[in-house]
């Protein structure tokens, strides 16, 4: 979890940084929809190019985003293997006598799945974490979910909990690294042995980590009570969120992008997922 991007804000002066946080939440949802709409080779090509353009516009170093992809490499590899060996099709690539059968359709599906997961992680990281502070994200989620207040849903408390959870993921990651180094200095070994032995070796890490997390939670609760925090009722904000014309133009552009991806699937240029 050392390179994970959740909760890490990268300060920069870019077009995406200046967008309203509510707009960025909506854009992230629309981008996820566009990603799952892609089913053709041309559509995925356009999706990858749009992600590269998004990273360039955000002025975030590409190596930083790629570094945050490390924790997901195992999931991406596992998904690719499943698609390669379990997808049936018409074009068999291995000889007929082999017990292991690989189809061209399986390779295409694996490639598309890798691109889809990579694009999802990169785009959502750029929209929701790298360019948006946790406080701005809390205000955006609270205002977007404000219609649920009529149903007596605790909107402010839910948004606050989500923001605190995102904020403390990097902190817990650093705490885990410190505990692991301390255990290694005492002779603990986390790299040798089978899977069961490695899982048992993590017990001396999990117990102090849970104790530290619970202690941080109590400290945070005490600090909020000392500052007379009682939820969102009657609470004012230092910075009031306001939509600008550029926010509406960006959302219209994203909707147009989704419509374009849909028509690219209908045209069916190149390989198309069935």
């Amino acid at each position: 979890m050392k390179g994970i991007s959740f909760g890490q804000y990268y300060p920069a002066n870019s077009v995406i940084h200046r967008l309203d946080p509510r707009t960025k939440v909506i854009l992230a949802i629309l981008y996820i929809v566009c990603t799952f709409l892609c089913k053709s080779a041309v559509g995925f090509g356009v999706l990858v190019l749009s992600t590269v353009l998004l990273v360039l516009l955000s002025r975030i170093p590409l190596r930083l985003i790629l570094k945050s992809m490390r924790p997901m490499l195992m999931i991406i590899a596992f998904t690719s293997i499943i698609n390669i060996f379990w997808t049936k099709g018409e074009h068999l690539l291995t000889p007929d006598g082999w017990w292991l059968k690989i189809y061209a359709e399986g390779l295409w599906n694996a490639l598309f799945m890798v691109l889809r997961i990579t694009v999802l992680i990169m785009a959502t990281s750029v929209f929701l974490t790298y360019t948006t502070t946790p406080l701005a994200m809390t205000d955006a989620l609270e205002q977007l979910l404000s219609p649920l207040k009529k149903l007596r849903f605790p909107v402010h408390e839910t948004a606050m909990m989500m923001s605190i959870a995102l904020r403390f993921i990097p902190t817990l990651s650093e705490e885990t690294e410190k505990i692991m180094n301390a255990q290694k200095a005492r002779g603990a070994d986390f790299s040798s042995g089978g899977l069961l032995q490695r899982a048992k070796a993590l017990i001396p890490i999990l117990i102090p980590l849970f104790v530290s997390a619970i202690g941080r939670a109590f400290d945070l609760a005490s600090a909020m009570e000392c500052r007379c925090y009682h939820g969102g009722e009657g609470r004012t904000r230092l910075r009031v969120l306001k939509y600008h014309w550029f926010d509406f133009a960006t959302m219209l552009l994203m909707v147009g992008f989704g419509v374009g991806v849909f028509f690219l699937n209908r045209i069916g240029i190149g390989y198309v997922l069935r």
Side-chain angles (χ1 to χ4, degrees), residues 63-218:
R63 57 178 177 80
L64 185 64
I65 299 178
L66 294 177
K67 184 180 178 182
S68 67
M69 297 287 296
R70 282 190 208 169
M72 304 299 296
L73 290 179
M74 291 297 296
I75 297 177
I76 294 175
F78 180 73
T79 306
S80 302
I81 293 173
I82 289 179
N83 280 274
I84 290 174
F85 295 108
W86 269 267
T87 300
K88 306 297 181 180
E90 300 177 355
H91 302 88
L92 182 63
L93 300 179
T94 55
D96 294 334
W98 284 25
W99 65 272
L100 189 63
K101 296 182 179 180
I102 299 177
Y103 294 86
E105 289 80 2
L107 294 178
W108 278 108
N109 290 353
L111 176 61
F112 287 169
M113 189 60 64
V114 169
L115 292 177
R116 179 171 287 166
I117 296 175
T118 304
V119 165
L120 276 175
I121 297 174
M122 293 178 66
T124 52
S125 298
V126 169
F127 279 128
L128 300 181
T129 57
Y130 280 123
T131 62
T132 311
T133 61
L135 183 59
M137 183 62 65
T138 302
D139 294 339
L141 291 175
E142 183 178 356
Q143 294 196 20
L144 290 174
L145 298 176
S146 58
L148 296 178
K149 291 181 179 179
K150 296 181 180 180
L151 302 176
R152 295 185 178 181
F153 183 80
V155 174
H156 175 77
E157 288 74 11
T158 303
M160 179 65 71
M161 285 189 296
M162 293 175 63
S163 175
I164 292 174
L166 289 174
R167 167 61 185 84
F168 273 91
I169 287 177
T171 304
L172 292 178
S173 176
E174 295 177 2
E175 191 74 20
T176 303
E177 186 179 2
K178 292 180 181 178
I179 295 173
M180 289 185 67
N181 292 334
Q183 296 292 350
K184 287 179 181 179
R186 294 178 175 89
D189 187 9
F190 303 106
S191 58
S192 62
L195 182 62
L196 185 60
Q197 292 180 351
R198 292 186 182 184
K200 290 181 178 179
L202 293 177
I203 296 177
I205 299 176
L206 295 177
I207 294 176
L209 182 62
F210 276 114
V211 172
S212 175
I214 293 173
R216 289 180 183 274
F218 276 109

Side-chain angles (χ1 to χ4, degrees), residues 17 26 30 36 38 48 67 81 125 134 155 165 182-183 193-194 209 213 221 224 230 252 255 258-259:
H17 280 79
I26 297 173
L30 292 176
F36 283 98
C38 280
V48 171
K67 184 180 178 182
I81 293 173
S125 298
V155 174
Q183 296 292 350
L209 182 62
M224 294 172 74
H230 300 291
L252 289 176
V255 172
V259 174

